[in-house]
Amino acid sequence: MSEAGHRTMSDRIIRIGSGAGFVNDSALGIAQLLSGGGDLDYVIFEYLAEGIMAWLAADEEREPGSGFSPHLVDIHLGPHLATILDRGIKVITNAGGLNPHGQAAAIRRAAQAIGQYPRIAVVTGDDLRPRIDEIRALDPREFYSGKPLPDDITSINAYLGAFPIAHALARGANIVVTGRNVDSALTLGPLIHEFGWSAEDYDALAGGTAAGHLLECGAQATGGTFTDWRQVPDWATPGYPIAECRADGGFVLTKPAGSGGLVSVGTVSEQLIYEVQDVEAYLVPDVACDFSTAIVRQVSPDRVDVSGIGGRAPTASYKVAATFKDGWRATALFAVTGFDAAERAAHMGDALVRRCRLMLRDRNLADFADIRVDVLGSEASLAGRTTRHDSREVVCRIVARHADRAGAELIADEGRSVMTTMAQGSTGLGPATVAPVLALYSFLLDKAKVPISLSIDNGAPTPVPITSGGGFDSATLARPRFPAADPDTCDDTLPLIALAWARSGDKADMFNIGVIARDPVYLPYLSAALTEHRIADWFSHTTSNGQPPRVERYDAPGFHCINLIVFDALGGGQTSGMRFDPNAKGMGQQLLAIDIPLPAALADRARRAMGSAGHVHLLS
């Protein structure tokens, strides 16, 4: 290519907007992007998570031919389909779930109803249910427990990468529908296509993956879940993110003009570390990303540049997530008001559990496999760090698991009786729920054993060639660690929230908390205070046995971040866990209360900074 051609390629900007960050996201996002997002090249609709796959499997069992979400056509894409197609904006979505051909057919019908005939591509190969006997014969083992593949599998999907999407676009697709793939692939696929990145362009692929990682959760990147929530304007119209992507893998994150929300170093950094484990090895099918070197810079209001992300050869495996039937779960809720509300609610919950256990024995049914009582409003999630005991309005939440539906239904049935058989001031909060437990099981599978196909406009499926070889070697990683301050220099303390932003998220039965220093000068003190041992002690209440959990720590110098991973701490995770925060959304908030020792002069500086930003109330 000529020098002029190289210059033209390097100057190109591909603008990709996030129309939805999960299946139940607001209908506002795509409307914003079309009215105030400028000229978009692509829009993505990211729908899937482990829990969603479990629910789609349950839907498909009840109603054969479903297995995909109608929200795409009914709520997000359908009402704006004419505008999107008229403007030449291409659509990438994993809303196909367990039935991408069914989703594509629904889109096609909606388009034809308005006189449009887009070219729709469907990527398949992720759904391994037809090959379950073959997969079982390989004797896969779960990531962490080492257990064999369970019976009663309801879904089993490989997380595919971005190159099949790029192939679909190269064949002229206007809309690409996939089943399960890594969320960031929805963004990386168009960038591979537009910039001609090869499978060996690791740095560019890693940068494109980071752009996708920021877009995949919608408004979470633009102030939707920011630590400094008071700084975020107008939650009524949160701005959905747009990535302006360059050929070198760098990009600017922004949002539609005139929308609410906030794009800042803090909001972007929080989302960059969200649900990440090893910051030097964020593994996706196409590349091993190194986020530790990321540079996050504010270039103008609501515009943040992200660059410096490195990449290495990927692994030779796909992650595979399966869901399986694992008994039944019942949830009962009732409110308690008045004096001693929390104490009464705890007594009521305990009495109801004992009553149901007596009834199980009378009916010759086994005991509950697990049962949990939480008094919400009494700081139950904080365990021994509770500071309030005087709430006069709480909710008692009882969750039970049982091998048989009849055993689970006891909690649902008896939970309604508390208003007449127990204390004053109690009232039901709607019907209790009884549902099958669809637990998660994850393992690795050689890429060569997952053939991928592409269909265009209901045509015959054609194979998509994928480079299956790996090469990633964790032994080559540098493992940077921030220097730790000398504790003898510290004569004051502040809560972590005065010195850092934090964001938490779940991954199966573990969670991460990314802690980003508000100012790099605080890093030595954060490094000294946030040790694995101290974090394990802080979160010892999250484990089922009350013992400190295993903790790993990874430091990211590029954007002043310490990433903390807490294992075996979610009671099974979002698909089978019984806690009221199975997605670990509140774990970061819990950690923000931990005290950080530091010199008095620096503590005074932090207090002044918090006061000038209007956050002094956080220190009281």
Side-chain angles (χ1 to χ4, degrees):
M1 185 181 289
S2 67
E3 181 180 346
H6 277 294
R7 185 167 57 251
T8 300
M9 177 65 77
S10 66
D11 291 343
R12 286 186 68 207
I13 299 295
I14 301 300
R15 303 183 82 247
I16 305 176
S18 173
F22 73 114
V23 64
N24 292 316
D25 207 348
S26 171
L28 179 69
I30 182 60
Q32 270 190 356
L33 292 172
L34 294 175
S35 63
D39 295 326
L40 291 178
D41 299 292
Y42 294 87
V43 64
I44 68 168
F45 296 94
E46 201 287 298
Y47 263 39
L48 301 182
E50 287 86 354
I52 302 301
M53 299 303 285
W55 298 330
L56 291 176
D59 288 345
E60 194 175 46
E61 185 176 36
R62 288 190 299 267
E63 184 181 350
S66 59
F68 63 91
S69 174
H71 285 189
L72 184 72
V73 170
D74 294 346
I75 296 175
H76 291 134
L77 176 62
H80 306 279
L81 188 56
T83 301
I84 288 170
L85 295 175
D86 287 344
R87 293 187 187 178
I89 301 170
K90 295 182 179 180
V91 174
I92 317 293
T93 182
N94 60 6
L98 295 174
N99 184 5
H101 281 290
Q103 185 69 268
I107 298 170
R108 188 174 291 109
R109 289 191 296 270
Q112 291 174 354
I114 58 174
Q116 298 270 15
Y117 298 88
R119 191 167 172 83
I120 302 177
V122 175
V123 176
T124 55
D126 63 294
D127 190 349
L128 303 178
R129 288 177 298 176
R131 301 172 54 202
I132 187 64
D133 291 339
E134 175 190 347
I135 300 300
R136 196 178 295 280
L138 297 173
D139 192 26
R141 297 287 159 163
E142 207 273 335
F143 277 161
Y144 304 106
S145 69
K147 293 180 179 179
L149 190 65
D151 296 327
D152 291 327
I153 294 293
T154 55
S155 70
I156 179 167
N157 295 77
Y159 284 53
L160 304 185
F163 278 92
I165 295 171
H167 279 275
L169 294 169
R171 292 183 57 183
N174 307 108
I175 299 173
V176 182
V177 180
T178 77
R180 195 62 174 114
N181 50 15
V182 294
D183 305 342
S184 57
L186 302 180
T187 298
L188 182 58
L191 298 179
I192 291 170
H193 168 66
E194 294 287 347
F195 293 127
W197 294 340
S198 75
E200 288 75 40
D201 287 329
Y202 300 134
D203 288 350
L205 294 172
T209 297
H213 182 63
L214 289 171
L215 292 180
E216 70 191 41
C217 290
Q220 280 194 182
T222 52
T225 57
F226 188 38
T227 299
D228 294 348
W229 62 273
R230 293 176 188 270
Q231 289 186 354
V232 182
D234 196 6
W235 282 349
T237 59
Y240 276 64
I242 299 167
E244 299 177 349
C245 303
R246 305 186 293 269
D248 63 358
F251 56 93
V252 167
L253 197 84
T254 186
K255 65 183 183 68
S259 64
L262 176 70
V263 184
S264 69
V265 169
T267 66
V268 172
S269 296
E270 279 194 12
Q271 185 61 25
L272 186 61
I273 199 62
Y274 178 66
E275 292 185 343
V276 170
Q277 185 174 351
D278 187 342
V279 292
E280 285 191 82
Y282 183 68
L283 304 179
V284 295
D286 305 304
V287 64
C289 306
D290 184 356
F291 287 177
S292 72
T293 55
I295 306 299
V296 182
R297 297 183 300 115
Q298 193 86 43
V299 293
S300 61
D302 289 320
R303 292 180 62 83
V304 169
D305 185 89
V306 181
S307 63
I309 294 171
R312 298 179 177 86
T315 70
S317 302
Y318 287 123
K319 173 186 174 182
V320 178
T323 58
F324 64 97
K325 295 180 180 178
D326 194 23
W328 294 83
R329 175 171 52 199
T331 303
L333 300 172
F334 55 88
V336 182
T337 60
F339 294 109
D340 305 317
E343 185 178 359
R344 272 186 293 134
H347 276 279
M348 293 167 75
D350 175 70
L352 187 65
V353 170
R354 288 188 288 110
R355 176 190 300 176
C356 288
R357 282 187 160 139
L358 289 172
M359 297 174 74
L360 287 175
R361 288 197 291 271
D362 290 343
R363 299 178 188 190
N364 293 318
L365 292 172
D367 193 6
F368 296 112
D370 198 3
I371 195 160
R372 184 178 179 92
V373 178
D374 290 306
V375 179
L376 309 184
S378 66
E379 301 189 355
S381 66
L382 302 182
R385 297 187 178 87
T386 299
T387 59
R388 294 187 62 88
H389 304 277
D390 58 349
S391 178
R392 290 188 288 173
E393 184 177 82
V394 299
V395 172
C396 185
R397 177 182 183 269
I398 304 176
V399 187
R401 285 181 59 178
H402 200 280
D404 300 315
R405 178 167 189 150
E409 285 178 338
L410 263 181
I411 288 291
D413 293 339
E414 289 299 313
R416 302 183 183 99
S417 72
V418 299
M419 289 183 289
T420 57
T421 63
M422 295 189 188
Q424 281 192 42
S426 60
T427 184
L429 292 176
T433 61
V434 179
V437 175
L438 297 176
L440 179 66
Y441 179 96
S442 300
F443 62 97
L444 299 177
L445 184 62
D446 192 320
K447 289 177 182 173
K449 297 186 182 299
V450 184
I452 302 171
S453 297
L454 178 64
S455 303
I456 305 285
D457 289 342
N458 280 331
T462 59
V464 177
I466 296 294
T467 301
S468 59
F472 175 74
D473 181 2
S474 61
T476 64
L477 301 180
R479 301 294 182 207
R481 190 80 165 202
F482 293 119
D486 182 349
D488 290 340
T489 65
C490 301
D491 48 7
D492 201 346
T493 63
L494 281 177
L496 177 61
I497 196 169
L499 309 174
W501 304 296
R503 172 81 69 82
S504 56
D506 69 304
K507 279 293 183 184
D509 198 24
M510 66 182 181
F511 62 87
N512 88 300
I513 304 177
V515 178
I516 305 104
R518 295 176 182 272
D519 187 319
V521 73
Y522 303 141
L523 279 169
Y525 306 96
L526 299 179
S527 183
L530 301 179
T531 63
E532 290 90 341
H533 177 77
R534 191 176 185 210
I535 298 303
D537 179 69
W538 187 260
F539 286 109
S540 59
H541 65 283
T542 64
T543 59
S544 57
N545 59 10
Q547 297 299 308
R550 179 166 68 92
V551 173
E552 293 179 358
R553 172 179 147 177
Y554 301 93
D555 291 3
F559 62 114
H560 318 306
C561 175
I562 295 173
N563 195 33
L564 301 161
I565 316 299
V566 184
F567 290 85
D568 302 319
L570 291 176
Q574 66 167 275
T575 60
S576 59
M578 299 169 58
R579 302 177 186 184
F580 71 89
D581 184 19
N583 300 102
K585 299 296 188 181
M587 297 302 182
Q589 287 291 308
Q590 291 189 33
L591 187 62
L592 285 169
I594 198 170
D595 284 334
I596 307 297
L598 68 170
L602 195 56
D604 288 342
R605 169 178 166 175
R607 290 186 181 96
R608 289 194 298 273
M610 293 294 282
S612 63
H615 300 317
V616 70
H617 61 284
L618 297 177
L619 307 184
S620 60

